[in-house]
Amino acid sequence: MREQTVFFEEIKKYIPELLDEIAMAFWKLDVTRGRLFVYGRAYIAAIYGEDVSYLELSWDAYQKKYCHPDDVRGIIAAGERAISSGENYHTRHRVRNARKNEWIWHHVFGHVVQHGGDLFIFGGARDITDAILLESAYKNIRLEERTAKAILDATPLATSLWDEALNMIDCNREALEMFEVAGKRIYLENIGAMMPDLQPDGSPSLSKMRAYVKSAFETGREEFDFVLLTSGGERIPVSVTFVRIYLDDNIRVAGYARDLREIILSAERMREADMRTQAMLDATPLACTFWDQDFKMVDCNLEALRMFGFSEKEEYLERFDEISPDLQPDGSPSGEKALEMLAAAMRTGRVVFEWLHMNADGEPIPTEITLVKVPWRDGHRIAGYARDLRELKSKMAEIERTQNELRDALARAEEGTRAKSDFLSNMSHEIRTPMNAIIGMTDIAKGTDDVEKMRYCLGKIEDASGHLLGVINDILDMSKIEAGKFELSEADFALEKMLLRVTNVINFRVDQKGQSFLIKVDPDVPSTLVGDQQRLAQVITNLLSNAVKFTYDGGKISLLVHLESEREGICTLRFEVVDNGIGISKEQQAKLFQSFAQADGSITRRFGGTGLGLVISKRIVEAMGGNISVESKLNSGSRFVFTVKVKRGSVAETRKLHPDVDWSNVRVLVVDDEPEVREYFEQIAASAGLSCKTLPDGFSACRALEEGDLYDIIFVDWRMPGMNGIELTRRIRQVGGENIVVVMISATEWAQISGRAMEAGVDRFIAKPLLPSIIIDCVNECLGNHAQASQGGKRGRTRRNIFRGRRILLVEDIEINREILVDLLEETGVEIEMAENGLVACELFERAPDRYDAILMDIHMPIMDGYEATRTIREMSVPRAQAIPIIAMTANVFREDVQKCLAVGMNDHVGKPVNIEEVIKKLRVYLRAA
């Protein structure tokens, strides 16, 4: 007993410092006098609210004021039991926390000591509220604590005490148990054996431990992780806290080691479980979101981030409210309905519904949501699974769309069948009508000796043949489009030259109907282009021909060309064909560009035509990167507008006035009753640097001349009201004399008025519609240094004898085709030898290869066709076999046909029916005519 009393007396010296560090209390109860002594500043401050290291109070007052009323009886009983039995004092009871004004659980323990005639209980107290709560929360966990007889044994941490020589001088029972050592002496004397030689960082364990002790002596506190060993060699990861304390006049370091094995193991197990759970969630192809019991979002999986377009989980959780619109499709507010669904899931365990979400970019995402109530550590959570319905709805919509398309296709097929039937009926009419004219007029011509009547019949045959060829070309183009073999061919071309060729095609009909035809090309439109000239001309010709056809006699037709835009050398040109004709109804406009559908069968019958021109034009325009549209009203004319994309030509064709002439003194007068023509003429003259005046009629022109106005050249329209161009020319000659150059402009063929015009004094003639190049060339020729007179105003090189001394081999199996070509080329002076098939042609060439300057080769022939004949000639070893020009002459005119001809070794291609201008143009190239 004496030794025990001495121990307590000794330990009392360093209790205050030690207890302040571990937040425990040491107490002494004087049972004889009913007085309680409490040591521990932190504990006294927390429980009693006073900042002292030592507190004395009445035992009765402690029980009544600080202990829970329900626990007082147990406190008294524990004391009586300890005194009567000699056992240690031990109890758990609630004490009021003065700072927080709440009851906290304490584990109070002690030992009964008899000293002289007095009875004492010495012991300690520690807060076990967390342990009690832990036991309540986890019923399968029970925490057992063994109270030690001394303060050092009261803590559940392995505790050690170090002196200034860095030697361990004491430890508690927990340390012995942790390191599986039988007695304290063994542990203290073999501390080095409780450590591995090296720590994980490679440093020696014992020296490192003592370094930490030394640092704690110097700084007052040191915390670190360490690895120790049990007596059996098992590694123990621990968390160590060293604290400097003062024991009377001595300085010591108290060390507390916390075994981390269970914590690490539990954390690892929890981490593995969380990783497995997260891996399963992330592998789920559904977007997964979790809410706690308060309906607060707490987690999500990777699919949720992907589906809604977020990169970070935190951003998704913060902005989740933004991925729903304000209202759902049924009109309910999204926020209110979401809470309603979550509450229903918490109540019933599961709900399924459709929901409209949005991703981070605002794109709508229809989804199917399944909310499920699941058990969790702290109760329950709501797991929400979102299935993206976009693909499903898209497929359903596609199925519905396909069904509608099938129904529409069936309707179109039925309509197409009817349209094709009507089309075939119309084509029969369109083909038989000119054929009837050709056959009938041929019979009439054969039965008469009257030359004029023969010429009349031949003219009608020519008209009917041209119409029939147009019908055939339309049908062939349409069949090629329907077969998907329609292609474009790009080449450099001059826009004005192409427009001039187009006007030459329709001018005769314009003149017949007495119509006004104007072409206006904006100055910024490139003069040369790269594109399919032939197809572009085909579209313009189709639209202009329709305008002429459906415009009344005396009506107006305009072709306007604008540069809409240009980017990186690609020009978007806009063409407008405007007329004041019969117009087109809305119902008819809807059918204009449909295959085999004609706007109005009665119109087609009345005016003629296949009805395919606009369909073909639409396909050509679209192939050239543009579009076509129409604006029209019945009896108010029509405006067809189309755009195409073409490249700017590499070389610009410019028409300039002759540089050797001083044009500043040259005055030009234009007399035309159409204001559009006068305005366009002024624009052309201004761009060329000419001084130009315009007047609306002959009377105004005569007054100007009579008043002394002087002009070097006067452009006179042929058809003007009141005074026509021929009468005005006579007046000009009477007033202005012979020095004024008079140029007549008209859409009328010159041959029809040339005699009267020249008699009246007209010097030149140019045809409408006017183009800048025609006007500038005319001015240069009339007033420039190189002006030349030309009878009738027509210029050009004659064909007569241009190929004299040249010989060609014509390979053609049809006799009439041979006769036609021989007759057409007769005036050129070329000598023609003939072969009726490819085999004969090869034999003739092989016998005399130097005899021929070129070969015109048909394709479809008996015995040996044109392809085989060309290959045979090119493979011959005779001179000129490789050099002789071979030109295909065939009705095969599609692009692939031309390519096939070139592929077998031919040099060029001309189509049938034969255009003599094209044949002569090609022969000029290869015969090098003068």
Side-chain angles (χ1 to χ4, degrees):
M1 179 65 71
R2 178 177 172 279
E3 291 178 358
Q4 190 178 46
T5 302
V6 172
F7 170 74
F8 281 109
E9 288 299 326
E10 176 67 24
I11 202 171
K12 185 169 69 174
K13 296 177 183 179
Y14 56 85
I15 282 177
E17 295 292 340
L18 184 60
L19 296 181
D20 281 349
E21 294 298 332
I22 63 175
M24 292 181 61
F26 175 66
W27 55 272
K28 178 181 74 174
L29 176 62
D30 186 341
V31 179
T32 305
R33 295 172 182 80
R35 303 298 293 175
L36 177 65
F37 302 90
V38 183
Y39 303 90
R41 183 182 298 273
Y43 180 86
I44 292 171
I47 304 303
Y48 302 103
E50 298 185 28
D51 186 18
V52 295
S53 62
Y54 154 75
L55 184 66
E56 179 183 351
L57 66 159
S58 164
W59 176 240
D60 289 338
Y62 169 74
Q63 296 177 58
K64 293 178 181 179
K65 184 176 180 179
Y66 296 103
C67 295
H68 195 284
D70 294 342
D71 298 339
V72 172
R73 185 183 298 276
I75 295 171
I76 296 172
E80 292 174 349
R81 184 166 55 252
I83 294 171
S84 62
S85 65
E87 298 176 353
N88 287 339
Y89 178 82
H90 174 78
T91 183
R92 290 183 181 184
H93 63 265
R94 286 163 284 184
V95 180
R96 181 175 296 282
N97 185 316
R99 285 184 175 176
K100 298 182 180 179
N101 193 26
E102 61 184 15
W103 296 105
I104 60 175
W105 282 95
H106 269 61
H107 178 206
V108 182
F109 50 91
H111 186 70
V112 179
V113 177
Q114 185 78 35
H115 183 66
D118 296 329
L119 187 63
F120 298 93
I121 302 178
F122 293 90
R126 64 189 178 100
D127 184 349
I128 61 169
T129 303
D130 291 341
I132 294 297
L133 293 176
L134 190 61
E135 287 180 358
S136 175
Y138 300 94
K139 294 180 180 180
N140 60 333
I141 299 176
R142 300 182 61 189
L143 179 61
E144 295 185 0
E145 294 185 352
R146 301 174 63 183
T147 54
K149 295 179 180 180
I151 296 302
L152 291 177
D153 287 339
T155 176
L157 304 177
T159 306
S160 58
L161 196 64
W162 300 74
D163 63 15
E164 291 182 276
L166 308 182
N167 294 317
M168 186 187 294
I169 59 175
D170 203 355
C171 69
N172 68 348
R173 187 176 300 279
E174 181 66 24
L176 304 180
E177 292 179 358
M178 180 185 294
F179 300 108
E180 300 176 1
V181 179
K184 184 181 295 187
R185 183 178 300 278
I186 298 173
Y187 179 73
L188 297 177
E189 292 177 354
N190 296 280
I191 183 62
M194 301 297 107
M195 305 176 189
D197 294 337
L198 300 175
Q199 287 297 302
D201 63 357
S203 58
S205 295
L206 186 56
S207 60
K208 186 169 187 177
M209 175 65 78
R210 286 178 172 157
Y212 281 127
V213 176
K214 182 180 180 182
S215 177
F217 272 110
E218 295 171 352
T219 64
R221 188 180 185 90
E222 190 71 48
E223 295 181 2
F224 57 95
D225 289 337
F226 212 75
V227 176
L228 298 174
L229 297 176
T230 65
S231 60
E234 180 184 353
R235 294 169 71 88
I236 305 176
V238 294
S239 173
V240 180
T241 301
F242 280 152
V243 181
R244 184 178 61 200
I245 62 175
Y246 297 91
L247 301 176
D248 293 334
D249 296 332
N250 298 317
I251 301 176
R252 299 285 186 263
V253 166
Y256 306 95
R258 185 182 183 191
D259 189 343
L260 300 179
R261 284 177 294 181
E262 282 297 326
I263 295 174
I264 293 174
L265 182 59
S266 297
E268 186 64 30
R269 289 174 178 170
M270 185 68 72
R271 186 162 52 251
E272 290 178 357
D274 287 346
M275 289 176 62
R276 286 195 299 270
T277 302
Q278 192 65 46
M280 293 174 64
L281 288 173
D282 289 340
T284 302
L286 304 178
C288 215
T289 309
F290 293 91
W291 290 264
D292 62 17
Q293 295 183 131
D294 297 325
F295 303 148
K296 178 183 177 183
M297 286 184 59
V298 293
D299 204 359
C300 69
N301 68 348
L302 291 179
E303 180 62 21
L305 303 183
R306 187 204 63 77
M307 179 184 295
F308 297 112
F310 292 94
S311 58
E312 298 293 337
K313 184 178 294 187
E314 291 73 15
E315 183 185 11
Y316 172 77
L317 298 178
E318 289 175 3
R319 297 179 56 191
F320 182 78
D321 291 342
E322 300 177 18
I323 64 174
S324 292
D326 294 336
L327 299 176
Q328 287 298 302
D330 62 0
S332 58
S334 294
E336 295 178 7
K337 189 168 185 178
L339 290 175
E340 178 186 335
M341 294 295 103
L342 287 168
M346 188 65 77
R347 185 176 62 254
T348 63
R350 180 186 179 89
V351 292
V352 180
F353 55 95
E354 287 196 9
W355 189 265
L356 180 61
H357 272 302
M358 299 184 299
N359 64 15
D361 296 328
E363 179 187 356
I365 304 177
T367 59
E368 179 189 71
I369 305 296
T370 301
L371 298 180
V372 182
K373 179 180 178 182
V374 295
W376 209 255
R377 299 187 186 100
D378 54 355
H380 290 87
R381 283 188 179 180
I382 297 294
Y385 301 92
R387 182 161 70 102
D388 191 339
L389 298 180
R390 283 179 293 184
E391 184 176 355
L392 176 62
K393 288 185 176 291
S394 175
K395 288 182 178 179
M396 292 176 64
E398 184 177 351
I399 291 172
E400 183 177 358
R401 186 165 54 251
T402 301
Q403 291 175 338
N404 292 335
E405 289 174 354
L406 289 173
R407 285 191 290 268
D408 293 344
L410 178 60
R412 286 196 302 271
E414 293 173 348
E415 182 180 353
T417 301
R418 290 191 298 271
K420 287 184 178 181
S421 177
D422 295 341
F423 172 79
L424 291 175
S425 175
N426 186 50
M427 288 307 98
S428 175
H429 170 80
E430 290 298 322
I431 293 173
R432 288 176 179 274
T433 298
M435 283 300 299
N436 183 63
I438 292 170
I439 295 171
M441 286 299 168
T442 301
D443 287 341
I444 293 172
K446 287 164 60 178
T448 183
D449 294 328
D450 188 338
V451 175
E452 290 301 321
K453 193 168 186 179
M454 286 184 182
R455 288 178 177 172
Y456 172 81
C457 292
L458 291 173
K460 293 298 182 181
I461 291 171
E462 183 179 20
D463 290 343
S465 300
H467 177 77
L468 182 59
L469 180 60
V471 172
I472 294 171
N473 285 338
D474 279 353
I475 294 173
L476 291 176
D477 275 346
M478 196 62 219
S479 66
K480 194 172 185 181
I481 289 171
E482 291 292 313
K485 296 182 178 180
F486 189 79
E487 295 180 359
L488 299 177
S489 177
E490 289 192 350
D492 280 280
F493 68 94
L495 178 62
E496 286 192 14
K497 288 182 179 179
M498 183 270 286
L499 294 178
L500 189 59
R501 286 194 294 273
V502 170
T503 58
N504 289 338
V505 173
I506 67 166
N507 261 348
F508 176 75
R509 185 62 174 154
V510 169
D511 182 51
Q512 274 189 329
K513 300 185 73 173
Q515 295 168 335
S516 169
F517 179 30
L518 171 69
I519 294 180
K520 187 174 182 180
V521 181
D522 285 353
D524 56 353
V525 175
S527 58
T528 60
L529 304 168
V530 178
D532 194 323
Q533 175 185 200
Q534 180 182 353
R535 292 302 185 183
L536 180 57
Q538 184 177 351
V539 175
I540 298 172
T541 303
N542 277 336
L543 296 180
L544 287 176
S545 297
N546 283 344
V548 173
K549 184 189 301 184
F550 298 116
T551 299
Y552 304 107
D553 292 359
K556 291 185 177 182
I557 299 161
S558 300
L559 171 62
L560 312 176
V561 186
H562 313 278
L563 176 63
E564 195 168 83
S565 64
E566 181 175 3
R567 185 175 181 182
E568 297 179 356
I570 303 298
C571 302
T572 300
L573 301 184
R574 185 174 80 254
F575 294 80
E576 299 181 23
V577 176
V578 185
D579 66 64
N580 61 350
I582 65 175
I584 309 168
S585 69
K586 291 291 185 183
E587 294 77 11
Q588 293 168 349
Q589 290 178 40
K591 298 180 179 180
L592 278 181
F593 302 106
Q594 295 179 12
S595 301
F596 306 110
Q598 296 160 329
D600 187 337
S602 62
I603 293 294
T604 305
R605 294 293 187 187
R606 176 183 169 192
F607 291 95
T610 63
L612 294 177
L614 290 178
V615 180
I616 296 169
S617 297
K618 181 176 185 290
R619 299 296 178 89
I620 293 173
V621 166
E622 289 174 347
M624 298 181 76
N627 54 70
I628 187 169
S629 61
V630 61
E631 300 172 10
S632 182
K633 289 184 180 179
L634 282 176
N635 302 316
S636 297
S638 302
R639 177 189 295 269
F640 282 84
V641 180
F642 73 90
T643 60
V644 294
K645 294 184 185 298
V646 290
K647 299 175 184 175
R648 179 181 285 271
S650 56
V651 179
E653 281 202 355
T654 56
R655 300 292 185 183
K656 295 183 180 179
L657 295 173
H658 201 283
D660 295 335
V661 177
D662 181 7
W663 297 100
S664 61
N665 296 322
V666 174
R667 299 194 64 199
V668 178
L669 174 65
V670 178
V671 187
D672 197 300
D673 60 313
E674 295 187 39
E676 295 90 348
V677 174
R678 297 198 300 273
E679 179 185 351
Y680 190 43
F681 214 115
E682 288 175 344
Q683 177 183 320
I684 295 171
S687 64
L690 281 173
S691 175
C692 177
K693 181 177 180 179
T694 61
L695 294 172
D697 54 59
F699 302 105
S700 300
C702 290
R703 282 196 299 272
L705 291 171
E706 290 169 355
E707 290 172 0
D709 286 356
L710 299 177
Y711 299 98
D712 298 285
I713 184 169
I714 301 178
F715 290 88
V716 178
D717 185 28
W718 152 232
R719 283 198 175 112
M720 290 187 293
M723 182 186 299
N724 65 29
I726 293 177
E727 180 61 27
L728 176 58
T729 302
R730 291 195 183 97
R731 300 276 187 96
I732 291 171
R733 293 302 179 204
Q734 293 172 0
V735 177
E738 299 298 323
N739 292 330
I740 299 175
V741 176
V742 179
V743 180
M744 181 162 286
I745 53 178
S746 176
T748 305
E749 282 291 327
W750 171 247
Q752 299 180 24
I753 58 174
S754 61
R756 290 176 294 159
M758 294 178 66
E759 182 183 349
V762 173
D763 295 292
R764 288 291 308 276
F765 172 83
I766 58 174
K768 286 187 177 181
L770 299 174
L771 291 169
S773 59
I774 297 175
I775 294 172
I776 299 302
D777 286 347
C778 179
V779 173
N780 275 329
E781 291 175 5
C782 293
L783 302 180
N785 289 343
H786 301 285
Q788 300 179 22
S790 175
Q791 182 178 0
K794 295 214 173 181
R795 296 189 175 273
R797 299 177 61 183
T798 178
R799 300 175 188 168
R800 185 167 301 280
N801 296 326
I802 60 173
F803 298 139
R804 179 174 295 280
R806 304 288 184 173
R807 181 181 292 106
I808 62 174
L809 176 60
L810 173 61
V811 188
E812 168 66 63
D813 63 313
I814 306 298
E815 182 180 0
I816 190 170
N817 289 344
R818 298 196 296 267
E819 291 178 5
I820 290 172
L821 195 63
V822 168
D823 185 67
L824 292 175
L825 291 176
E826 182 179 4
E827 66 174 331
T828 68
V830 69
E831 184 177 345
I832 300 176
E833 292 188 12
M834 291 176 283
E836 61 270 22
N837 59 59
L839 181 60
V840 174
C842 291
E843 293 172 351
L844 291 174
F845 178 77
E846 190 172 23
R847 284 199 298 267
D850 294 327
R851 180 176 177 80
Y852 306 105
D853 298 292
I855 300 175
L856 291 178
M857 181 77 73
D858 187 23
I859 297 299
H860 294 290
M861 296 180 292
I863 302 177
M864 180 183 290
D865 63 27
Y867 298 130
E868 183 62 27
T870 300
R871 281 192 291 265
T872 302
I873 290 173
R874 295 302 188 205
E875 292 171 359
M876 289 180 181
S877 58
V878 300
R880 297 194 73 234
Q882 297 297 321
I884 182 75
I886 302 177
I887 304 171
M889 187 174 64
T890 173
N892 297 354
V893 294
F894 291 145
R895 184 178 180 181
E896 56 267 29
D897 299 322
V898 177
Q899 294 297 329
K900 190 174 180 180
C901 292
L902 299 178
V904 299
M906 297 186 184
N907 300 84
D908 216 323
H909 176 283
V910 294
K912 291 181 180 178
V914 172
N915 181 324
I916 190 59
E917 296 293 341
E918 182 183 11
V919 174
I920 291 176
K921 178 181 178 182
K922 296 293 174 70
L923 289 177
R924 282 182 187 274
V925 173
Y926 297 104
L927 298 182
R928 294 180 175 85

